[in-house]
Amino acid sequence: MAQILMTDGQWAMDVLLPHRPHATNRPADGQYRMSREDALEMRYIEHSPHALLGAIVIDCDHPDTALRAFERPRDHPDPSWVAQSPSGRGHIGWWLKSPICRTDSARLKPLRFAQRVEAGLRVEVGGDPAYAGRLTKNPIHEDWETLYGPSKPYDLAELVTPTTPRQMPRKPQRAAGLGRNVTMFDTARRWAYPMWWHHRNGTQMEWEHLVLDYCLREVNDAFGYPLPFSEVLATSRSISRWIWRNFSEEGFREMQSTRGKIMTEKRQAAIVATNRRRAIDRSMVLAALEE
């Protein structure tokens, strides 16, 4: 049975998620939000909004992008599309069946899984670890040669390869690709939760500037391949605005009280376990002495 391949129309209607994507003809000139119709005429386009990851895209800076994407035998599934320049360098994309939330209200387990999957696919095709993943070569633009793969989207689990890491490096210096977004999101939100209490009486603008400054100076500057400012700004706004909207003095005190109780219970359990272990060790020593 012949495989049904993706089409330009399916990519534009189903794969492209943003209602008003960022797009540009020259990334060096900046990117701007515009209507889907106008964005689809640009050479580079935002395939997923910052809040949702709808596709995993790898930048392959090699002259044989299509071969690396569709070669056989290989350990990665066929990509949904490949858009390459006349030089052979291009972007390889896998369309996800269920978009993954990337805001502060996200469950981190799927996001971390996506980070590992992306890392494995990047190794498989020799992708660029410095690629930010936001703008991709527009597959339906005439400047690119586009090869389409299967029209059916993938579950994340279907994109696991032998090179998918079991655990990502924790040091920011070693973060790459989507891993930088996850590291920044995770690090900044943990810092921002308790920090809100000390700045709750200021303005929202002051709070947003504070979180952005932390993301830039304390997190992004530590990356071997820093994220572009637009990505840092989007992540910092997601965190700062969610906290500002959802935190209150009463709620914060309740959260701290709950955490304190949990920690107390854990400490008590640890003390009991330690005392039990010491009692067992002591009884063993006494038994040995009596022999």
Side-chain angles (χ1 to χ4, degrees):
M1 184 176 178
Q3 186 181 54
I4 299 177
L5 301 181
M6 183 177 288
T7 63
D8 285 352
Q10 186 181 19
W11 195 93
M13 293 297 296
D14 299 330
V15 180
L16 182 65
L17 288 184
H19 179 64
R20 289 178 56 82
H22 283 86
T24 183
N25 278 327
R26 286 174 49 85
D29 295 338
Q31 52 184 276
Y32 304 94
R33 193 180 296 279
M34 56 189 72
S35 68
R36 289 172 67 94
E37 293 75 15
D38 290 340
L40 284 168
E41 296 181 0
M42 296 291 173
R43 298 172 73 238
Y44 296 90
I45 192 169
E46 177 187 30
H47 59 84
S48 300
H50 182 76
L52 290 174
L53 180 67
I56 291 180
V57 180
I58 305 295
D59 179 23
C60 188
D61 195 22
H62 300 278
D64 57 348
T65 297
L67 179 62
R68 289 169 181 258
F70 291 104
E71 67 180 342
R72 289 181 171 80
R74 41 78 176 120
D75 293 320
H76 62 269
D78 284 340
S80 304
W81 79 90
V82 174
Q84 62 180 21
S85 64
S87 68
R89 294 170 171 80
H91 289 167
I92 307 171
W94 287 265
W95 180 28
L96 300 180
K97 183 183 298 182
S98 301
I100 299 167
C101 182
R102 294 193 285 184
T103 66
D104 193 69
S105 57
R107 292 173 55 238
L108 287 180
K109 188 174 181 180
L111 195 57
R112 287 172 175 156
F113 185 27
Q115 172 191 6
R116 291 169 47 221
V117 167
E118 185 215 44
L121 292 172
R122 187 169 59 248
V123 171
E124 289 290 328
V125 300
D128 182 3
Y131 175 57
R134 187 173 194 180
L135 292 182
T136 186
K137 286 181 168 64
N138 182 1
I140 71 175
H141 196 278
E142 61 183 7
D143 280 2
W144 315 125
E145 177 187 0
T146 298
L147 301 175
Y148 285 117
S151 62
K152 184 179 178 181
Y154 288 101
D155 285 320
L156 260 183
E158 296 178 291
L159 299 179
V160 172
T161 69
T163 55
T164 300
R166 295 176 61 88
Q167 186 175 358
M168 296 300 293
R170 296 183 178 181
K171 294 182 178 179
Q173 297 88 338
R174 299 180 61 188
L178 180 60
R180 293 168 298 176
N181 300 78
V182 175
T183 298
M184 178 173 292
F185 173 74
D186 209 8
T187 303
R189 73 183 183 90
R190 291 180 184 275
W191 169 85
Y193 287 165
M195 191 59 61
W196 171 84
W197 179 262
H198 304 288
H199 297 271
R200 67 189 187 281
N201 294 322
T203 66
Q204 180 177 351
M205 182 175 294
E206 290 171 342
W207 168 244
E208 289 186 12
H209 285 171
L210 183 71
V211 177
L212 174 60
D213 185 70
Y214 179 84
C215 288
L216 285 169
R217 297 177 185 275
E218 302 298 328
V219 186
N220 201 47
D221 284 352
F223 292 147
Y225 305 99
L227 286 166
F229 177 78
S230 59
E231 283 289 294
V232 179
L233 179 62
T235 299
S236 70
R237 281 181 175 174
S238 173
I239 295 170
S240 60
R241 291 179 179 179
W242 188 91
I243 292 175
W244 191 265
R245 185 172 61 249
N246 290 279
F247 275 32
S248 65
E249 292 192 17
E250 181 180 352
F252 187 85
R253 288 192 180 96
E254 183 178 346
M255 180 180 66
Q256 293 296 92
S257 176
T258 301
R259 288 181 175 177
K261 291 176 181 178
I262 293 174
M263 291 305 297
T264 299
E265 291 172 358
K266 288 182 177 180
R267 290 192 190 100
Q268 290 175 346
I271 291 172
V272 170
T274 300
N275 290 339
R276 185 180 295 117
R277 187 166 55 251
R278 288 174 178 173
I280 294 173
D281 293 342
R282 184 172 180 274
S283 63
M284 292 177 63
V285 172
L286 293 174
L289 291 174
E290 291 175 356
E291 292 180 356

